[in-house]
Amino acid sequence: MPSVFRFAGLAAALLLAGCQQVNTTSGGVVGVERKQNMFSMLSSAQVDQMYAQSYQQTLGEASKAGKLDASSSDARRVKAIAARLIPQTGTFRPDAPSWQWEVNVIKSDELNANCGPGGKIIVYTGLIDQLKLTDDELAAVMGHEIAHALREHGREAMSRAYAVQMGENLGGALLGLGKDSMQLADQVVQYSLTLPNSRQNENEADLIGLELAARAGYNPNAALTLWQKMSQAGGNAPPEILSTHPADSTRMANLQAAIPKVMPLYEQAKAR
């Protein structure tokens, strides 16, 4: 077996040896049940703390530049939708509604939104205004981002990165790989450990986000029009939110298949 492939196998073995298998969320009606490999020395609290520091830095920079938006109609809409979505997170994680949630809007043409570890949400006005999002569509994208936090996809990615780094440090020493081989090994490890999970994580966020929005009383069909708008925006330069996970026929098919599962939740929420 070529040494480069032994190196990829070594990194994978290190990932498994240093990780524990967990399922961060309940499955919900959409049935997200995959167990995740988390680096045992990297706790949720540590990741939350690291991200909270970065989040505050981002807010500080936006505030200094006069771009932190606390009172516009966009900001009011985002905060109102978050107030309906956050209580629904308990369906997937009983601890989540009591997280130290923060919801902020930044004035920017950027077509982006995110929810980092521990419930730190940022929505950029460009996403709302340029795509002319309805409340249902805005709930779909916010639910999607919240789902990433619930599933701790950030911690999962960091766990994979630890394995890659460990594999590089140890594998290079053990196998005596030259510079070119190490670069090739990097690519193999990235493809074998990191990239295959990206679309899987996106699919999980799509499904959980769909259910969160439905439970909060937002029409789940809006997820389809949201991602259609996303995929059409920017022509050959897709929005940053789609830079590594473009909307495609598979995403739309998965959403369409899941909508009948969550539609009764939406109807129940609307009836309350």
Side-chain angles (χ1 to χ4, degrees), residues 33-106:
E33 301 285 359
R34 178 180 65 92
K35 289 189 179 297
Q36 300 159 272
N37 287 311
M38 298 294 191
F39 195 65
S40 56
M41 296 179 66
L42 184 67
S43 71
S44 299
Q46 288 173 313
V47 175
D48 291 354
Q49 184 177 14
M50 284 187 285
Y51 188 79
Q53 292 173 350
S54 175
Y55 184 80
Q56 291 304 320
Q57 181 178 349
T58 298
L59 296 184
E61 292 171 355
S63 179
K64 187 175 181 180
K67 294 184 177 181
L68 192 60
D69 183 356
S71 59
S72 73
S73 60
D74 283 341
R76 291 194 297 271
R77 288 177 65 202
V78 166
K79 291 180 180 181
I81 291 169
R84 287 170 57 176
L85 290 171
I86 290 170
Q88 308 308 320
T89 61
T91 297
F92 295 95
R93 292 185 63 140
D95 65 317
S98 62
W99 286 358
Q100 297 299 308
W101 292 89
E102 295 187 50
V103 184
N104 285 280
V105 174
I106 292 178

Side-chain angles (χ1 to χ4, degrees), residues 172-196:
L174 292 179
L175 302 177
L177 299 180
K179 181 179 179 182
D180 291 342
S181 296
M182 285 293 288
Q183 289 177 345
L184 180 57
D186 270 349
Q187 294 176 5
V188 171
V189 172
Q190 289 296 322
Y191 277 96
S192 63
L193 292 180
T194 306
L195 294 182

Side-chain angles (χ1 to χ4, degrees), residues 233-260:
N236 293 327
E240 182 176 344
I241 198 170
L242 294 180
S243 59
T244 56
H245 312 293
D248 55 18
S249 58
T250 300
R251 162 173 262 158
M252 301 301 280
N254 289 341
L255 285 168
Q256 286 175 328
I259 285 173

